Every structure is written in structure tokens, then in C-alpha cells.
Amino acid sequence: MNVYVKEFFSHRSVWIMTLLFAGCLFGIAPAMNQGSTWVGILTGVLLWYVSEYTTHRFLFHAPPPKNKWLLRLLNRLHYAHHELPNELHLLFLPVWYSIPNFFIVWLLAYAVTHSSILSFSVVAGGVGCLLYYEWVHFVAHRPIKPRTPWGKWMKKYHLWHHYKNENFWFGVTNPGMDKIMGTYEDEKHVELSSTARKLL
């Protein structure tokens, strides 16, 4: 297991996002005893879990665009991952995608709160969830046997999306949004898709 932990944290996007998470925590540390800071963190967590599903379903699984630049973008972000699901460099969200998104979150939070600390607390919640997402996704695609029943089930759940039918099971870390949005189904009742491995 240690070799996979080392492999995970040696990836550039993971350690960069870990540094960003640490920086956010350092920035909000003086206000950690305030309830508003924890509300900000929880807001970031909730925003992440909604975006995890909506981005995966509606952006990453959008029909291939005619614009070549957009097609290359979506191919790098997700299409190629379905075709080569165990390719290590395709498992992680690239920093050129993640960091601008979190910068936008910070700006929106600041526009609402007019507080740098609250804005960083929202980003901290989101980046913490991103790192958890990256680990769960990494485990799903590497020869790792999760230690908990939840981990084992989520690994199986995500692999259904890749190998059974790409139109279901968009949640990587939890099935909550799938259940709300109607894309959670009993795997036994879902037909095998011929395009699960080829989104283009």
C-alpha cells in the first residue's frame, strides 16, 4: 500500500493541490474558532460535491464539440480517461483546470462575503474534497483493495461507470447526487453500453 501512497503524492497535480490546501488552512487558522469559518468550509464541501456530479455528467460527458480546441480540451479532461481508464496521468484533474476554478470560487465567495478569510475557508473545503476525490478515483483505477466496506463499494460503483454504462453512476466519492438526479440504478438492471470505453 505504501508504494501507492507514494505514487499518489508524487503526482504533480496532487502535491500542488496539497500545497494549496495547506496554504488555505494557514490563511484561515487565526479564525478557526469562529463558527463562520466552519460554515465557509462546509459551503465549500457542498459546492464541491454538487460540482463533482454536474461537471462530470454535463461537461465531461458532453457530446464531442465540433470546435477542435474544445474537443482537445474535453479529450484531455475526460474522453481519453474512458478510453484508457488505468493510464496514470489521465486519472488526475490537471492544475490548469483546477486552480482557475478555485480562483473563480474565491472571487464569488469574496463578492458575497467581502471577507478574505471566509473566501479562503470556502476554497479550503473545496480543495480538501478535491484531494479526497483524487484519492478515491486513484484507488478505483489502481490495483488497490480498499480497507473499508464503503471504499470497496465506491470502487465497484465507479468501475460500473467505466465498464458497464457511462450514462449512470457519475458520483466518484458518493452516490448522493446520482440518487437525486436519477442516474443511480441497480447495476443488474442496466444494459452493457458499447460506448462506455469510447466517448468520442
Side-chain angles (χ1 to χ4, degrees):
M1 183 65 174
N2 288 340
V3 66
Y4 293 113
V5 172
K6 183 178 180 181
E7 181 180 56
F8 177 77
F9 281 103
S10 67
H11 197 274
R12 187 173 72 99
S13 65
V14 172
W15 61 256
I16 289 175
M17 298 313 293
T18 300
L19 288 175
L20 177 60
F21 182 57
C24 288
L25 292 181
F26 179 80
I28 66 176
M32 289 298 281
N33 61 340
Q34 298 177 18
S36 59
T37 301
W38 290 98
V39 170
I41 292 171
L42 180 59
T43 300
V45 169
L46 293 175
L47 286 173
W48 166 262
Y49 284 121
V50 171
S51 70
E52 175 190 317
Y53 176 90
T54 55
T55 301
H56 187 186
R57 181 179 177 185
F58 298 112
L59 176 62
F60 292 172
H61 280 261
K66 293 180 180 179
N67 181 281
K68 291 182 179 180
W69 183 84
L70 288 175
L71 182 62
R72 286 196 303 271
L73 178 71
L74 286 177
N75 190 58
R76 169 57 188 92
L77 288 173
H78 203 64
Y79 296 165
H81 173 54
H82 268 261
E83 190 169 353
L84 301 166
N86 297 321
E87 189 70 32
L88 187 61
H89 79 282
L90 295 173
L91 290 183
F92 303 102
L93 289 172
V95 292
W96 51 258
Y97 172 82
S98 299
I99 289 179
N101 274 281
F102 282 117
F103 181 64
I104 291 169
V105 169
W106 190 92
L107 289 175
L108 292 174
Y110 188 80
V112 172
T113 66
H114 304 289
S115 166
S116 294
I117 287 181
L118 285 178
S119 301
F120 278 117
S121 69
V122 173
V123 172
V127 176
C129 288
L130 168 66
L131 290 170
Y132 175 64
Y133 162 91
E134 295 286 32
W135 174 252
V136 173
H137 195 214
F138 176 78
V139 168
H141 289 282
R142 303 302 281 164
I144 301 170
K145 185 176 181 180
R147 295 179 179 177
T148 66
W150 174 259
K152 292 174 184 175
W153 188 74
M154 282 310 304
K155 177 167 184 164
K156 182 167 59 175
Y157 189 87
H158 183 63
L159 294 181
W160 289 340
H161 174 77
H162 275 278
Y163 296 103
K164 186 69 181 282
N165 196 305
E166 76 279 15
N167 299 304
F168 298 93
W169 314 299
F170 291 97
V172 175
T173 61
N174 71 89
M177 287 295 293
D178 279 306
K179 290 187 176 183
I180 292 170
M181 299 296 288
T183 49
Y184 176 92
E185 292 289 343
D186 185 333
E187 181 265 340
K188 296 175 183 176
H189 301 149
V190 174
E191 293 184 0
L192 180 65
S193 170
S194 62
T195 54
R197 292 287 300 276
K198 191 73 174 175
L199 301 183
L200 282 174

